[in-house]
Amino acid sequence: MIISIIVAVDEKGGIGFENHIPWHLPGDLARFKKFTMGHHLLLGRKTYESIGSALPGRQMIILTRNPEFKAPDCITAPTLDEALTLAENAGENEVFIIGGAEIYREALTLADHIYLTLVHTSVEADTYFPQFDQTAWSVICEQDFPEDDQNPIAHTFKYLVRE
Ligand SMILES: NC(=O)c1ccc[n+]([C@@H]2O[C@H](COP(=O)([O-])OP(=O)(O)OC[C@H]3O[C@@H](n4cnc5c(N)ncnc54)[C@H](OP(=O)(O)O)[C@@H]3O)[C@@H](O)[C@H]2O)c1
């Protein structure tokens, strides 16, 4: 099973502020939907609360250490290993780690692919993607998206594969 991270970061690595994503880029959300549709998504409990509900067409596995935590149409798991095993046993071929920072930090050493959107701005952030050694990754494709009517910030999408 391929383990993929999908994330959008600003120029300082910021990914979140007060438990939300600090920009609105419909083009990037559409890409997120296209890549993740039909797959298992692993996410931290705080990111689930930020999204607020299960995303249609995808099985969400929420990581939480609270055995009482329940969310409609989602599975919970107490460790990353258990969450990955649940996805693999369900026949998943590519699982997506969708954040937040705590989950990215733990998953980064295991990940095979990163779907990375670089948002060309510097926002107020309180949550950051972990530093990682970009020389250990090959850029398979890279595409620039200028600011437009729908997407108020220019951004670059990169698809990285571990060397
Ligand atoms: N820009 C992006 O692409 C992007 C993507 C996703 C999220 N975000 C942003 O990131 C922020 C949230 O990130 P965060 O780091 O604060 O929180 P998070 O990673 O979403 O969730 C943290 C919670 O996950 C659970 N958890 C973490 N590690 C675990 C483990 N090893 N085993 C079991 N449970 C574990 C714990 O839940 P319990 O406390 O319930 O035990 C912990 O409190 C938000 O601002 C969100 O908008 C941005």
Side-chain angles (χ1 to χ4, degrees), residues 6-9 14-23 43-48 50 63-66 69 77-80 98-106 126-127:
I6 187 161
V7 63
V9 302
I15 63 166
F17 182 65
E18 294 183 343
N19 214 28
H20 67 269
I21 294 179
W23 46 75
L43 67 164
R45 191 261 309 159
K46 292 181 186 169
T47 293
Y48 171 76
S50 160
L63 281 157
T64 175
R65 299 185 180 91
N66 174 3
F69 184 81
T79 65
L80 180 60
I98 69 159
E102 283 190 39
I103 309 302
Y104 289 140
R105 210 171 293 124
E106 200 179 333
D126 58 17
T127 320

Side-chain angles (χ1 to χ4, degrees), residues 36-131:
T36 61
M37 189 52 71
H39 292 278
H40 284 73
L41 312 186
L42 268 53
L43 67 164
R45 191 261 309 159
K46 292 181 186 169
T47 293
Y48 171 76
E49 286 183 342
S50 160
I51 298 170
S53 62
L55 295 172
R58 288 148 284 185
Q59 178 61 65
M60 290 164 77
I61 305 180
I62 304 168
L63 281 157
T64 175
R65 299 185 180 91
N66 174 3
E68 310 287 308
F69 184 81
K70 302 263 181 296
D73 302 321
C74 298
I75 303 171
T76 57
T79 65
L80 180 60
D81 276 356
E82 276 199 41
L84 291 169
T85 302
L86 282 168
E88 186 143 42
N89 289 347
E92 182 57 80
N93 61 353
E94 183 175 17
V95 65
F96 284 85
I97 311 290
I98 69 159
E102 283 190 39
I103 309 302
Y104 289 140
R105 210 171 293 124
E106 200 179 333
L108 196 50
T109 54
L110 304 174
D112 305 295
H113 300 173
I114 304 179
Y115 298 74
L116 179 71
T117 301
L118 293 171
V119 183
H120 298 300
T121 186
S122 179
V123 296
E124 185 171 10
D126 58 17
T127 320
Y128 292 83
F129 193 71
Q131 298 278 349

